[in-house]
Amino acid sequence: MSTFNFGQAIRGGVSAAAITSLLMSSPVLGAPPVDLSKWSPEYVRSIAGTKDFDTAADCNKVTPLDYKGRLTFWYQGVFEGDPDLLRQYYKDFFAAFRKTYPNIDLQEQALTYNDLLDKFRTALLGNAGPMMVRLQILGGVEFASKGYLQELKPEDVGYATEDFWPGAMKSNMWKGKTYGIPTNNETMAFIWNADIFKRAGLDPDKPPATWDDVVKYSKQIHDKLGIAGYGLVARKNAGNTPYRFLPQLWGYGGSVFDETTQSPTYGRIEINSRASKQALQASYDMYVRDKSVPVSALTNQQADNQPLFLAGQLGMMISHPSDYDVMLDLKKKASGTDVQKAQTVIDNMRYGPIPTGPDGKRAVVFGGSNMHILKPEYVDGGKVDLPAAKALACFWASPEWSLKMAYAGSNPGNLNGFKTKWMKERLDNIKFLDVTTSMLPYGVPFPTIPETPEIMNIVVPDMLQNALTGAMTVDQATEDAAKKIKNIMSGGKL
C-alpha cells in the first residue's frame, strides 16, 4: 500500500496561495477547534475520538425537539457512483432526524449533482422552490447574489463560524454577508493500478509525479497493454469535469481567473494564458495524439471510469477514497472468473497525491456542499418554516452527522467532526482516507462569484470538447473560452 508523506509533499512544492487562502484567511476572527497549522495524517489521527457530542441536546437549544412544523428540502443525493455505505448513512440520517424531531413533517427530494442546479434555477423562476436546499459548493453565491437566499451563518444554528474551514465559509459569503453553512468538504487524490503499472514497465509503487508524467504513463500503458491509461473526464454540464481538469490547469500554472493567488480579485481572465494552454494541450495529447484515454471520455463521468478500472481496463484516475468501497460493491455484482479479476484490481489499488505541474505546483479543488434557506417569496406556498429549517441545518452540520454523511468519500464540514469517535472508526475502516484528507491544505476553492457554475460546468467542458473533437485548435479553444467568460462577466449569455 502506498502512503502519502505530508512533509515530503510540502517540500515538493505545495501552492502557498492555496494554504494561505484555505487555512489562514478566515472571514472572522476566532480560533478554530483544531490546529490547522499542524494538519497532517498524524495530527488528524491524534485528535480523532477525543471528544463526545450530543446532537439532540445541541439542536434542542436551536429548535425545541417537540417543535411542530413542516419543511421542504432539496439536496444532492447518492447516485450510481456512490458506495452502498453512503446510501445507508443517508437513510440513517433522515431516520434519526425524524426520530429526534417527530413533529416536523420533512419532505425531502434527492437530485443528482448534474440536475440539482438546473432544476433549482427553474423552480426559482416560478417561485416554486423548496424552503431549504443543500447545494454544491460552487452554487451558493450565484443564488445569494440574485437575492433568493436568506442570510444564514453557523451561529444561527448553534455553532461558531470558526468551527468550519475558512475556505468553506468564503464560499457562502456575498458582499460581506453569509448565506449558508458548510456540511462537508473534500479534496480528491490520484489513484492507480499497481499491477497495470508493473506490466507496462512502470514502477508499481510510484504514481506519476507530474502531469507531464501522467501523459507519458498513459501512453506507455496504452501502447504496451492496449488499454486506457488515464481516466480523462470531459462531459458537458457535469461537475466531474472541472473537479478533474482544474487540478491539471492549476498544476501547469494556469487558472480561470486569479483564483490561486493569495487575494484573488477575479478581475483578470487567465484561461487563455500560455500555462493554461499547456494544461489543455496535455489533455489533447492524451485524447487525440496518443489515444491513451477512453474514447468515451467526452461523455464520461467518474461513474463510467469505475467499472473500467475494476475490469483492469484503466490504469489511472482521480477520485475520492470512497472509490475503494465502490470497487468492493461492484465486485459483489461480478460472477465467475470476473470475481478474481476484480479482487486483483482491488488488491493493487493505490492512492497518492495529485501530480504537480512542471514547476512543482500542486493543487486540487476544495469541494463540498452548503445548506441554504430561501426567502419566502421564492418558495412554493410562499412560506418558510424557519425553526424547522434551522433544526435540519443544526442536525446535518453537527460534528456527528457532518462526519457520518461524509464517512466514505468526503470530510466533515464541522471541524469538530474530526474529534468524534466516528472519525477514529473511519480512519481504521476507510482505506486511503489519510491520503485524501492530507490533500486538504492543497485545496483551492472555486471562484466565489455568481458566474462560477456557468463557467465551470459549461465553459470549461466546452473548451475541452472543442479541442478534443478538433472543432478548434488548443489556442482557439482557450481564446474562445476567454471570450465566453468575458461575456458572462459583463452580464451577457453564452
Side-chain angles (χ1 to χ4, degrees), residues 1-6 9 187-194 197 204-211 214 247 309 315-321 348-356 362-364 431-440 442:
M1 171 180 168
S2 175
T3 57
F4 177 27
N5 186 303
F6 187 80
T187 48
M188 292 187 280
F190 197 85
I191 305 171
W192 75 98
N193 182 320
F197 269 43
D205 296 319
K206 291 184 179 180
T210 68
W211 282 104
V214 173
F309 191 87
M316 305 174 287
M317 60 185 183
I318 290 177
S319 201
H320 303 283
N348 284 278
M349 195 172 183
R350 304 287 186 268
Y351 276 66
I354 296 292
T356 71
R362 192 191 313 277
V364 65
K431 203 171 183 180
F432 308 118
L433 180 66
D434 58 337
V435 180
T436 51
T437 301
S438 296
M439 286 298 301
L440 282 165
Y442 296 88

Side-chain angles (χ1 to χ4, degrees), residues 19 105 111 164 190 233 255-256 267 288 307 368 378-379 389 402 434 467:
I19 289 182
D105 176 17
L111 298 162
F164 300 83
F190 197 85
V233 172
S255 57
V256 177
V288 180
Y378 301 108
V379 172
S402 69
D434 58 337

Side-chain angles (χ1 to χ4, degrees), residues 6 17-26 32 36-39 165-167 366 440-443:
F6 187 80
I19 289 182
T20 302
S21 174
L22 178 58
L23 300 185
M24 309 307 292
S25 300
S26 176
L36 299 179
S37 68
K38 294 181 179 178
W39 202 259
W165 287 97
F366 183 78
L440 282 165
Y442 296 88

Side-chain angles (χ1 to χ4, degrees), residues 33-359:
V34 298
D35 191 342
L36 299 179
S37 68
K38 294 181 179 178
W39 202 259
S40 68
E42 295 75 23
Y43 176 71
V44 172
R45 198 169 285 277
S46 74
I47 63 174
T50 60
K51 191 170 182 179
D52 293 324
F53 298 90
D54 188 332
T55 303
D58 291 341
C59 292
N60 182 54
K61 299 173 186 176
V62 177
T63 300
L65 302 186
D66 61 355
Y67 177 78
K68 186 176 182 178
R70 173 181 172 274
L71 180 66
T72 54
F73 173 57
W74 290 4
Y75 67 102
Q76 178 194 333
V78 293
F79 72 112
E80 58 182 320
D82 289 318
D84 291 341
L85 180 63
L86 184 59
R87 300 174 195 279
Q88 187 58 50
Y89 269 121
Y90 268 71
K91 292 178 182 177
D92 292 347
F93 170 80
F94 288 111
F97 180 80
R98 288 187 168 93
K99 182 178 180 181
T100 305
Y101 284 98
N103 298 318
I104 292 180
D105 176 17
L106 175 61
Q107 299 174 17
E108 74 269 23
Q109 182 177 355
L111 298 162
T112 67
Y113 183 102
N114 297 335
D115 292 339
L116 179 55
L117 286 176
D118 286 342
K119 182 166 183 177
F120 188 52
R121 292 187 186 105
T122 301
L124 292 174
L125 292 175
N127 300 329
M131 298 179 193
M132 192 172 194
V133 65
R134 176 176 173 260
L135 294 174
Q136 46 267 61
I137 197 169
L138 56 71
V141 172
E142 172 188 342
F143 301 105
S145 70
K146 294 177 180 177
Y148 291 126
L149 306 179
Q150 297 190 40
E151 288 184 46
L152 178 67
K153 58 185 183 298
E155 285 77 8
D156 295 328
V157 296
Y159 305 116
T161 294
E162 54 266 29
D163 287 340
F164 300 83
W165 287 97
M169 289 308 306
K170 283 184 177 181
S171 71
N172 285 298
M173 297 194 70
W174 176 247
K175 292 188 175 180
K177 296 180 179 180
T178 307
Y179 292 89
I181 300 170
T183 58
N184 61 288
N185 296 107
E186 72 258 4
T187 48
M188 292 187 280
F190 197 85
I191 305 171
W192 75 98
N193 182 320
D195 178 60
I196 287 177
F197 269 43
K198 184 177 181 179
R199 288 189 286 116
L202 299 166
D203 188 332
D205 296 319
K206 291 184 179 180
T210 68
W211 282 104
D212 285 343
D213 288 339
V214 173
V215 177
K216 294 175 185 176
Y217 286 22
S218 187
K219 184 179 188 302
Q220 187 165 332
I221 289 170
H222 176 264
D223 289 351
K224 291 205 172 186
L225 304 179
I227 63 174
Y230 175 61
L232 180 68
V233 172
R235 182 169 177 163
K236 290 185 179 182
N237 197 24
N240 283 182
T241 301
Y243 271 86
R244 284 158 180 79
F245 180 70
L246 267 293
Q248 183 176 324
L249 180 72
W250 294 330
Y252 275 100
S255 57
V256 177
F257 297 100
D258 58 347
E259 65 270 12
T260 61
T261 62
Q262 181 173 342
S263 301
T265 63
Y266 312 121
R268 189 173 70 248
I269 297 172
E270 294 289 342
I271 202 164
N272 57 341
S273 69
R274 180 175 176 275
S276 296
K277 291 176 181 179
Q278 281 184 295
L280 182 57
Q281 184 68 47
S283 294
Y284 177 90
D285 288 347
M286 287 188 283
Y287 187 83
V288 180
R289 186 193 69 187
D290 301 335
K291 296 179 173 57
S292 66
V293 300
V295 177
S296 55
L298 298 181
T299 56
N300 274 3
Q301 301 184 87
Q302 179 56 19
D304 299 301
N305 280 334
Q306 291 165 343
L308 288 175
F309 191 87
L310 187 67
Q313 296 298 306
L314 180 66
M316 305 174 287
M317 60 185 183
I318 290 177
S319 201
H320 303 283
S322 58
D323 268 42
Y324 181 78
D325 287 307
V326 170
M327 297 302 153
L328 295 176
D329 292 341
L330 289 174
K331 179 198 164 189
K332 296 175 184 176
K333 302 173 184 178
S335 60
T337 58
D338 289 340
V339 176
Q340 185 53 51
K341 289 180 181 177
Q343 187 59 54
T344 299
V345 171
I346 292 169
D347 291 342
N348 284 278
M349 195 172 183
R350 304 287 186 268
Y351 276 66
I354 296 292
T356 71
D359 297 327

